[in-house]
Amino acid sequence: MEFTFSHNRIAELRADARVSQRQLAKAVGTSQANLSRWEKGVVAPCVLECWRLAEFFGVTIDYICGRTDY
């Protein structure tokens, strides 16, 4: 099974929430540079980071990862 992380979801959710990269990075416990790498698709967040992002935005981990559209 092949899996491709949907880095665009993080950027879209962040823009919709009107939160800066710096603010989101602080909220989920990472650096702004690392968050930028996630949004550009250079690297993918680990499961714990996906969980923190999902909690922050009130969505599922599957949504963060691009596996579902809701």
Side-chain angles (χ1 to χ4, degrees), residues 8 11 17 23 26 29 34 37 39 41-42 49 60 64 69-70:
N8 292 337
Q23 290 169 319
K26 184 175 181 180
N34 201 36
R37 287 186 208 101
E39 289 187 358
V42 175
E49 293 161 336
T60 65
I64 291 288
D69 289 330
Y70 54 89

Side-chain angles (χ1 to χ4, degrees), residues 9-15 17-32 35-36 38-39 49 52-57 64:
R9 287 278 165 90
I10 299 171
E12 290 168 3
L13 287 166
R14 186 177 60 75
R18 297 183 179 164
V19 176
S20 71
Q21 283 186 343
R22 190 173 303 242
Q23 290 169 319
L24 180 57
K26 184 175 181 180
V28 299
T30 193
S31 68
Q32 183 273 325
L35 182 64
S36 177
W38 296 346
E39 289 187 358
E49 293 161 336
R52 289 177 180 158
L53 288 164
E55 287 286 310
F56 181 87
F57 290 117
I64 291 288

